[in-house]
Amino acid sequence: MNRIIKTVSLFVATTLLAQAQAPTPIKVNVAQPVSEIQPTMWGIFFEDINLGADGGIYAELVKNRSFEFQKPLMGWKIERKTFHEGEVLIQNRADKNTANPRFVSVKVENAQKGDLGLTNEGFRGMGIKNGLRYDFSVMYRQSGSPVKVHAELLDAKGQVIGEGTLTPSQTDGQWHRQAVSFNAKATEAKGKLRLWFEGNGQIDLDMISLFPEDTWKGRPGGMRADMIQKLADLKPGFIRFPGGCIVEGFDLNNRYQWKKTIGPIEERQLIMNRWNIEFAHRPAPDYFQTFGLGFFEYLQLAEDIGSEALPILNCGMACQFNSAEVVPMDQLEPYVQDALDLIEFANGDINTTWGKVRAQMGHPAPFNLKMMGVGNENWGPQYIERLKVFTKAIKAKYPNFKLINSSGTDPNGDRFDYLNKELRAMNADFIDEHYYRAPEWFLKNAGRYDSYDRNGSKVFAGEYASHTNNGASASNRNTWRAALSEAAFMTGLERNAAVVQMASYAPLFAHVEGWQWNPDLIWVDNLQSFGTPSYYVQQLYSLNKGTHVLSMTQNNQPLIGQDSLYASASWDKASNEIILKIANNNSQAQVREIQLDGVKKLDPNARLIVMQSDPNSVNTFEEALNVSPSEKKIVVNAKTKKVSLELAPYSFYVVRIKTL
Ligand code: AHR
């Protein structure tokens, strides 16, 4: 008897305790959407950092193809059987060609294949794929009897894994381009290109180039397909380019000038990449910008992957951490003109000066550019002074064109407060906020935008990433802990889509042997690429965006860290789905019931997408999907309109529920 009383008492006590402790259900108000979510919401930030463009998405395999690096033969090795003085000379025609002054002259006397050669090491080697066609091309000039050029692909041991011969067809002393293609017979991550010269005479060479056949969309001289596919798979709302700090440059001379990045590639003037010298702990002396990938190609890329283009232009100020050089106000006009001309280049009729240039490059239809950034991480009254001139000129000509303005390098502090106040007083369209911060910052700031003015300037979270070691430290890692803190923070961006209308993780790409900045969204070597846990978080947000924000609360409060939970909800008008996002940053599993209010009929079969792992887990080339989403079906109680979720420790969930 006693035992029965004890058991019953224990049962009653446990039930009461469970009832007392059961968390209040989370409520989603489906009937009254809070605000719209812009199609641009989740985008990408591209910069030529970490070998992002040259040695990255730009599929050119030859490094220093036009001998314009500071050391003209950097990346090249002269191979000689017998030494003859003056056989290989660098020449400079700066008086005739300022954009591409240098070339190499090779003089041979009865040379056979194997006597005199030039080998290019590529960008940390060349990625070569078995069976693939490689297109070798040069610009050459010669007068006497033709000197043959034998091109060989080499593997890491120096064995020939592909070859072709180019016999110049012109001997009129003028520059010509000629090409030969051949197939590789093996796969090699550390390949090289060797040229042997055969014949009698002199040949001048420039723009020595090697491209794989399998570029993005098969465009000759195009982009590395696997890397671009990773971007396309994000279905980004926008693509910001070309940076980042390279917009500003080390000094004004080193700034990014879009007009020098269009037209024939041999006329695009190379400059040093400012990441070449930025970090003493990650020097990159061979990092230059060839601009083979320029503004036309960026606009085309945006169009290809269905994103809005978001170019960022120099505002007349160089990087304030470097030279801090500013252009005097009375000399700002060409900078402003560049901005106006860019809009014409992108959108102008083919009879306009710049619209015609676009058409000549193969795109008569306008790109329909809608926005641009003026300045990257610029700050201070000097910035505001210059920005006002840009804004006045651009808005006068294009009143509906949206401008993105900088709020400096940090999301708080005196510089930020000053700019935030000034820009809001100016009625800025978008204020670009940057935060490279510790995971704890992201967790604490999930409610950052809850109190932002709904009617004022919009926010572009233009660069952010969770840094496990806080700051641009080489020891940061793309862990699940970092990605989960971003997922938690992003619930706050989504909830506040009325204010935050664009967001992009930064930086985007990093080459495992050529990076300066860590962490990054996608890591590559010469043959492969993999997405980090942060990549999959970005993708989950982008692919499960929805069109309207829904209110999602517990005890009438948004979930911004209570019990380490973070949540947001949206409604997708196109598919009639409710989309829930919940991050559990707790080391314990938690169960939550979610009540969907204001909905008439639900499909009981819902989709549940989950990312869950140990906080220190990472993805690698070998285990590229170690931390990545998996999907299963769950059942929603269509009668009570409730769904119960068991949230695993350190997990992120997306739930898609169809309304009928
Ligand atoms: O994303 C790397 C760098 O971080 C960007 O170039 C710059 O804008 C920021 O400081």
Side-chain angles (χ1 to χ4, degrees):
M1 181 66 183
N2 247 355
R3 252 183 50 205
I4 294 173
I5 291 172
K6 263 189 193 162
T7 312
V8 171
S9 322
L10 191 66
F11 173 75
V12 171
T14 319
T15 311
L16 286 176
L17 196 68
Q19 273 170 4
Q21 286 177 342
T24 355
I26 295 171
K27 290 192 169 192
V28 176
N29 184 345
V30 186
Q32 286 170 313
V34 177
S35 66
E36 280 185 28
I37 299 175
Q38 298 303 315
T40 46
M41 183 71 189
W42 309 111
I44 49 179
F45 161 97
F46 180 83
E47 176 167 21
D48 193 1
I49 181 175
N50 305 318
L51 301 190
D54 284 292
I57 62 171
Y58 185 48
E60 172 65 87
L61 293 170
V62 176
K63 183 168 76 181
N64 194 11
R65 65 185 174 190
S66 64
F67 308 96
E68 303 300 335
F69 283 19
Q70 203 174 5
K71 293 182 180 167
L73 278 174
M74 188 178 246
W76 294 94
K77 189 170 162 228
I78 303 173
E79 318 260 1
R80 285 183 170 106
K81 219 178 207 176
T82 325
F83 179 78
H84 295 292
E85 201 60 70
E87 277 170 335
V88 177
L89 291 177
I90 295 296
Q91 300 209 42
N92 194 315
R93 57 192 153 173
D95 52 332
K96 295 194 193 77
N97 187 339
T98 47
N100 178 15
R102 291 200 195 120
F103 59 91
V104 68
S105 287
V106 179
K107 211 188 259 174
V108 281
E109 238 183 81
N110 296 324
Q112 299 301 310
K113 185 178 173 187
D115 285 348
L116 175 67
L118 278 175
T119 302
N120 189 276
E121 66 188 21
F123 299 88
R124 317 295 186 271
M126 296 177 182
I128 307 291
K129 293 180 199 156
N130 190 14
L132 198 70
R133 194 192 76 221
Y134 286 84
D135 301 329
F136 168 72
S137 70
V138 291
M139 291 192 72
Y140 71 93
R141 179 174 74 170
Q142 63 169 16
S143 311
S145 60
V147 174
K148 276 189 192 169
V149 183
H150 298 280
E152 294 177 339
L153 292 178
L154 306 180
D155 68 10
K157 293 190 190 120
Q159 302 297 312
V160 177
I161 55 169
E163 56 192 319
T165 300
L166 189 144
T167 309
S169 56
Q170 309 290 328
T171 51
D172 58 2
Q174 303 297 317
W175 284 100
H176 297 278
R177 187 190 296 279
Q178 203 168 313
V180 63
S181 298
F182 43 87
N183 284 38
K185 292 189 215 114
T187 293
E188 173 62 61
K190 292 283 186 181
K192 289 182 182 169
L193 172 71
R194 183 165 63 195
L195 310 179
W196 292 118
F197 300 96
E198 182 191 337
N200 217 354
Q202 178 177 322
I203 184 165
D204 297 335
L205 297 168
D206 198 5
M207 300 300 289
I208 303 176
S209 170
L210 185 73
F211 272 90
E213 165 195 11
D214 65 344
T215 54
W216 169 253
K217 289 193 176 283
R219 291 199 183 107
M223 301 191 202
R224 201 177 123 174
D226 66 316
M227 291 173 74
I228 300 299
Q229 191 58 53
K230 285 261 177 333
L231 303 187
D233 291 346
L234 287 172
K235 294 209 189 316
F238 66 89
I239 171 164
R240 171 191 175 139
F241 59 88
C245 290
I246 65 163
V247 170
E248 302 162 66
F250 179 87
D251 53 21
L252 284 174
N253 209 25
N254 183 241
R255 75 189 189 278
Y256 197 102
Q257 298 183 61
W258 74 267
K259 286 178 184 164
K260 295 188 177 181
T261 74
I262 59 166
I265 54 168
E266 65 275 14
E267 290 170 19
R268 303 183 188 182
Q269 191 175 351
L270 169 146
I271 59 171
M272 182 194 76
N273 187 310
R274 56 92 73 191
W275 295 106
N276 180 314
I277 50 167
E278 185 60 18
F279 292 139
H281 62 281
R282 298 293 302 173
D286 58 347
Y287 204 0
F288 290 78
Q289 296 181 81
T290 62
F291 299 118
L293 179 57
F295 260 40
F296 178 85
E297 289 78 17
Y298 284 127
L299 290 166
Q300 196 176 40
L301 172 63
E303 186 176 74
D304 285 351
I305 61 176
S307 311
E308 295 294 340
L310 171 45
I312 309 285
L313 296 198
N314 187 292
C315 64
M317 299 172 75
C319 177
Q320 286 158 275
F321 289 124
N322 294 158
S323 66
E325 203 179 346
V326 292
V327 72
M329 289 302 290
D330 63 359
Q331 292 165 39
L332 187 62
E333 194 274 334
Y335 291 73
V336 178
Q337 195 58 48
D338 273 359
L340 294 170
D341 291 343
L342 176 61
I343 302 173
E344 188 177 288
F345 176 68
N347 299 347
D349 182 274
I350 55 167
N351 298 313
T352 59
T353 311
W354 289 101
K356 192 170 170 188
V357 177
R358 182 193 71 240
Q360 282 162 351
M361 289 186 75
H363 201 289
F367 280 114
N368 200 14
L369 183 68
K370 300 186 184 86
M371 54 189 169
M372 87 171 43
V374 177
N376 175 45
E377 283 183 342
N378 296 108
W379 68 77
Q382 317 88 292
Y383 173 60
I384 295 293
E385 201 184 0
R386 283 162 182 75
L387 177 65
K388 282 184 175 163
V389 179
F390 274 86
T391 307
K392 194 171 167 207
I394 296 169
K395 293 281 183 182
K397 202 162 177 195
Y398 304 102
N400 297 323
F401 199 82
K402 298 282 180 228
L403 294 180
I404 283 83
N405 302 162
S406 158
S407 66
T409 54
D410 294 279
N412 50 7
D414 291 347
R415 278 181 194 151
F416 176 85
D417 292 343
Y418 166 78
L419 288 176
N420 198 36
K421 192 165 152 246
E422 290 288 326
L423 295 175
R424 284 174 187 278
M426 281 169 68
N427 239 337
D429 296 325
F430 279 93
I431 301 178
D432 181 6
E433 296 189 1
H434 293 185
Y435 16 86
Y436 295 104
R437 290 288 189 273
E440 295 70 33
W441 185 93
F442 282 89
L443 298 172
K444 261 193 215 134
N445 280 272
R448 176 181 174 90
Y449 296 106
D450 291 347
S451 55
Y452 265 52
D453 178 8
R454 311 277 112 177
N455 301 313
S457 300
K458 303 303 173 201
V459 169
F460 168 32
E463 294 185 29
Y464 64 90
S466 177
H467 284 192
T468 50
N469 284 332
N470 209 4
S473 154
S475 55
N476 283 318
R477 294 183 75 211
N478 281 108
T479 59
W480 173 232
R481 185 163 89 92
L484 181 59
S485 71
E486 289 152 7
F489 176 77
M490 288 164 78
T491 59
L493 301 185
E494 184 174 87
R495 182 172 54 254
N496 290 287
V499 172
V500 186
Q501 297 195 341
M502 292 190 289
S504 44
Y505 181 102
L508 192 55
F509 286 114
H511 189 292
V512 279
E513 291 179 55
W515 59 271
Q516 295 79 47
W517 184 288
N518 188 7
D520 304 282
L521 202 63
I522 300 165
W523 286 84
V524 310
D525 63 14
N526 291 338
L527 288 172
Q528 325 157 64
S529 50
F530 72 85
T532 58
S534 296
Y535 173 87
Y536 291 105
V537 165
Q538 292 291 320
Q539 192 180 45
L540 283 183
Y541 270 89
S542 184
L543 300 189
N544 299 286
K545 186 166 51 221
T547 51
H548 294 81
V549 178
L550 299 177
S551 147
M552 184 173 190
T553 55
Q554 190 176 25
N555 300 320
N556 289 322
Q557 296 301 315
L559 284 113
I560 53 170
Q562 302 90 317
D563 299 324
S564 303
L565 292 180
Y566 305 80
S568 61
S570 63
W571 158 253
D572 190 51
K573 204 176 163 188
S575 62
N576 279 335
E577 279 172 294
I578 300 160
I579 307 172
L580 311 176
K581 299 193 181 72
I582 308 180
N584 178 20
N585 193 50
N586 204 309
S587 58
Q588 303 299 316
Q590 310 193 56
V591 177
R592 284 294 179 280
E593 191 156 73
I594 300 170
Q595 173 76 56
L596 305 166
D597 285 339
V599 61
K600 285 197 186 107
K601 240 179 152 190
L602 287 176
D603 184 340
N605 300 307
R607 289 169 62 200
L608 179 106
I609 307 163
V610 58
M611 286 183 75
Q612 196 273 327
S613 198
D614 176 85
N616 292 320
S617 311
V618 294
N619 289 343
T620 59
F621 287 114
E622 295 72 33
E623 286 189 281
L625 299 176
N626 185 35
V627 190
S628 61
S630 61
E631 183 169 339
K632 63 176 185 181
K633 288 208 162 62
I634 54 161
V635 176
V636 178
N637 189 327
K639 215 165 164 197
T640 61
K641 316 283 186 311
K642 281 184 184 164
V643 54
S644 180
L645 294 179
E646 183 169 344
L647 308 164
Y650 302 116
S651 55
F652 176 53
Y653 293 84
V654 176
V655 186
R656 295 190 73 120
I657 306 163
K658 250 195 183 314
T659 60
L660 301 169

